[in-house]
């Protein structure tokens, strides 16, 4: 559905986006993670035909953004990270204006608008002035606006930023519903655990470079060479002595409150199995042996730290 | 024409503009001011003769005064209404969303221009009955009234197009306004001063009798005041021909020049509204 080919953007000597190559299948929810200035909004702006790239191109549903930008606009709904509203328009009129801007006939708009307001739980606010709506409601209204022409692709730049927890959950539920409707969604967020929950695939951007891409678990496996392992044992001293002999193990920590030991293990799953086997053969009184699941934030921090140092 | 009325930007802007009471209060005060000016003029003029009547010459003078007042008003108000139409959308962060719709750049720019000058058009149309008062006393032909109306409309579109252009290419509304007012100042006052200076220079350097200053023509043709004066006094046209030696009617040169300005301004605004994706940057 989305094919990005060598897309780059430079401003003078500053490179906002290094050549980016990416393919996103239809119906996928793709999450872009990155710090401020990582290149997420630049990528989204280019895909939305708001910014001309320095080189490369992208195809949205097979249509080249460089050759047929107007056709591309029919295919996508865009929600920017920061957006304003027209003060004296009512919620219903707001959607009507954008519906007309997409060339939707008035009779069709009359049917569509109540459905969209229903989808974003704003039916009760249809006659309220947009500027009087809360931030969360405005975000939802903007999402409804981006859906008015029934686009195949949705580009949502930080849709949950600045929202309170309740509004964030509401937004997440709506996005889940859109995912179930088969929309291809490109979403960026700083709230990484939410992305992990919603996205099928994640791309980590750092300083304009895509440093990792794949499912959350794949990224974790691909990039985390060192695993955090926690062991619960009946003999702490003996266990620590055993672990210290293993060259693959570093940073052994005693977790007193959990009656366990935590350490970093460098190796593959086979090496991990070998470690457990040796421990049992050496009569180490292990109660439990588990790999700690690092969350997306840990991975993100680790990856972006690596890039910064390199 | 149908697409013009279906222009979403135009419809939305008109809805927003005429939704507030301020628009109608503004209209009321404009008409009141114009009426008071008219009554004061008539009172003063009729008081200058012992019989207390209002001569057709006075009527003509009053019409000219009002027409100049109206064109001056257009020159003064239009930049304020148009020089922020695009840049203010950019500042309010509504432009990006609008640009991702399938609405063409042409439709957005034309919608913005027409909606912003619509209020001025309303002011001019609403003042027409007051202008028509002059017919009671004579001295002005209906043709001249129509000419003045269309000239006002034309001037509005010229200044409006320049305002939209600056608003599109300049990100900050305040800078766009200053730029547009500077151009208007040049059109209204600058061209008159340049014409005067060129005429004086031609006078100093004159060797032939009668002296001719063709350069004056090219600055004078840009001045709306001079063209407006020509509508009332055909003698102005003859005088310009005498001074410059150019027989081509100055009002036609004015219209052609500013038609080019309108077309170029709008074309450039349309091109610059969205990035050129094909070209890249």
């Amino acid at each position: 559905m989305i094919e990005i080919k060598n897309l780059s953007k430079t401003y003078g000597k500053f490179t906002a986006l290094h050549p980016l190559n990416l393919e996103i299948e239809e119906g996928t929810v793709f999450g872009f993670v990155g710090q401020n200035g990582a290149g997420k909004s630049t990528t989204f702006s280019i895909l939305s035909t708001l910014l001309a790239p320095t080189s490369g191109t992208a195809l949205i549903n097979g249509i080249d953004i460089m050759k047929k930008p107007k056709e591309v606009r029919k295919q996508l709904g865009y929600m920017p990270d920061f957006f304003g509203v027209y003060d004296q328009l009512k919620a219903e009129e707001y959607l009507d204006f954008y519906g007309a801007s997409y060339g939707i006939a008035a009779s069709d708009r009359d049917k569509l608008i109540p459905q969209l307001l229903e989808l974003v739980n704003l039916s009760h606010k249809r006659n309220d002035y947009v500027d009087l709506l809360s931030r969360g409601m405005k975000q939802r209204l903007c999402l409804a606006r981006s859906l008015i022409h029934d686009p195949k692709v949705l580009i949502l730049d930080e849709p949950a930023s600045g929202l309170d927890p309740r509004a964030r959950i509401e937004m997440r539920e709506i996005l889940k519903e859109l995912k179930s409707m088969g929309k291809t969604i490109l979403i960026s967020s700083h709230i990484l655990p939410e992305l992990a929950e919603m996205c099928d695939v994640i791309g980590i951007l750092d300083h304009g470079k895509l440093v990792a891409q794949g499912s959350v678990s794949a990224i974790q496996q691909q990039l985390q060479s060192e695993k955090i392992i926690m062991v619960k044992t009946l003999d702490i001293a003996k266990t620590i002595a055993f672990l210290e002999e293993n060259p693959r193990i570093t940073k052994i920590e005693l977790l007193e409150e959990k009656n366990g030991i935590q350490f970093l293990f460098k190796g593959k799953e086979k090496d991990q199995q070998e470690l457990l086997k040796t421990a049992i053969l050496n009569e180490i009184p292990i109660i439990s042996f588990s790999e700690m699941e690092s969350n997306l934030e840990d991975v993100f921090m680790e990856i972006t730290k690596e890039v910064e140092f390199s | 024409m149908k697409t013009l009325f279906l222009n979403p930007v135009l419809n939305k802007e008109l809805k927003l503009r005429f939704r507030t009471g301020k628009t109608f209060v503004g209209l009321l005060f404009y008409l009141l001011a114009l009426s008071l000016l008219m009554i004061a003029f008539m009172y003063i003029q009729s008081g200058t003769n012992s019989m207390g009547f209002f001569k057709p010459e006075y009527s003509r003078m009053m019409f000219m005064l009002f027409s100049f007042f109206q064109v001056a008003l257009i020159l003064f108000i239009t930049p304020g209404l148009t020089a922020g139409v695009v840049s203010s959308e950019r500042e309010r962060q509504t432009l990006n969303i609008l640009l991702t719709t399938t609405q063409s750049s042409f439709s957005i720019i034309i919608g913005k221009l027409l909606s912003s000058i619509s209020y001025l058009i309303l002011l001019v149309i609403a003042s027409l009955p007051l202008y028509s008062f002059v017919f009671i006393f004579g001295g002005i032909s209906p043709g001249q009234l129509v000419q003045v109306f269309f000239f006002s409309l034309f001037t509005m579109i010229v200044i409006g197009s320049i305002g939209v252009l600056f608003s599109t290419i300049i990100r900050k509304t305040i800078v766009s306004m200053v730029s547009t007012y500077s151009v208007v100042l040049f059109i209204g006052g600058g061209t008159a001063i340049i014409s005067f200076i060129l005429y004086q220079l031609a006078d100093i350097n004159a060797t032939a009798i009668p002296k001719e200053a063709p350069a004056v023509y090219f600055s004078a043709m840009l001045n709306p005041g001079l063209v407006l004066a020509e509508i009332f006094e055909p003698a102005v046209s003859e005088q310009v021909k005498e001074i410059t030696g150019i027989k081509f009617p100055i009002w036609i040169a004015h219209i052609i020049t500013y038609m080019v300005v309108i077309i170029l301004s709008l074309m450039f605004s349309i091109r610059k509204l969205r990035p050129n994706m094909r070209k890249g940057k």
Side-chain angles (χ1 to χ4, degrees), chain A residues 132-149:
Chain A
L132 299 177
L133 299 178
S134 68
R135 173 81 199 248
M137 287 176 181
K138 280 181 191 166
Q139 295 276 90
R140 271 148 51 201
L141 185 67
C142 190
L143 183 62
R145 176 206 55 77
S146 66
L147 290 165
I148 195 135
H149 57 302

Side-chain angles (χ1 to χ4, degrees), chain A residues 100-262:
Chain A
S101 295
Y102 278 107
I104 300 167
S107 57
D108 294 336
R109 296 200 300 267
D110 290 344
K111 289 175 202 159
L112 260 172
I113 290 166
Q115 290 171 15
L116 285 170
L117 287 171
E118 179 79 37
L119 177 75
V120 296
N121 302 322
L122 284 176
S123 296
H124 60 297
K125 295 284 181 186
R126 61 187 296 174
N127 288 317
D128 285 19
Y129 285 102
V130 178
D131 60 327
L132 299 177
L133 299 178
S134 68
R135 173 81 199 248
M137 287 176 181
K138 280 181 191 166
Q139 295 276 90
R140 271 148 51 201
L141 185 67
C142 190
L143 183 62
R145 176 206 55 77
S146 66
L147 290 165
I148 195 135
H149 57 302
D150 192 22
K152 289 194 167 72
V153 177
L154 277 175
I155 294 180
L156 312 174
D157 200 355
E158 307 260 3
S161 71
L163 298 186
D164 59 46
R166 190 185 183 85
R168 211 176 283 166
I169 291 166
E170 283 173 346
M171 178 63 79
R172 198 169 61 200
E173 292 306 313
I174 295 166
L175 292 178
K176 276 183 187 169
E177 200 167 333
L178 291 173
K179 183 183 172 181
S180 70
M181 287 160 73
K183 304 275 183 204
T184 305
I185 304 174
L186 244 81
I187 184 168
S188 72
S189 177
H190 284 114
I191 305 153
L192 307 182
E194 275 193 359
L195 275 189
E197 195 183 315
M198 282 189 330
C199 299
D200 305 311
V201 187
I202 295 224
I204 298 180
L205 272 175
D206 192 65
H207 293 89
K209 283 181 189 162
L210 185 70
V211 290
Q213 181 203 338
S215 66
V216 178
S217 56
I219 287 179
Q220 282 168 333
Q221 278 182 3
Q222 182 191 333
L223 291 149
Q224 277 201 304
S225 54
E226 288 186 333
K227 295 164 186 174
I228 305 163
I229 293 176
M230 199 179 89
V231 172
K232 280 192 178 177
T233 174
L234 292 173
D235 190 338
I236 298 271
K238 193 178 176 183
T239 311
I240 289 178
F242 166 75
L243 293 173
E244 278 175 343
E245 281 175 15
N246 194 317
R248 292 182 184 276
I249 292 171
T250 53
K251 291 186 183 171
I252 301 168
E253 277 178 56
L254 187 64
L255 303 172
E256 282 178 22
E257 71 280 11
K258 289 179 181 172
N259 193 27
I261 301 160
Q262 186 177 289

Side-chain angles (χ1 to χ4, degrees), chain A residues 66-67 84 86 88 93, chain B residues 19-20 89 93 102 277-278:
Chain A
M66 307 288 279
K67 290 176 185 160
Y86 300 108
Q88 286 168 23
E93 292 170 341
Chain B
R19 180 164 272 175
T20 63
E89 285 247 9
Q93 298 179 317
T102 51
M277 296 298 284
R278 282 165 203 253

Side-chain angles (χ1 to χ4, degrees), chain B residues 10-23:
Chain B
L10 179 61
N11 284 344
K12 188 258 298 171
E13 297 280 334
L14 289 178
K15 192 186 281 180
L16 290 183
R17 182 168 295 280
F18 294 103
R19 180 164 272 175
T20 63
K22 278 187 240 169
T23 303

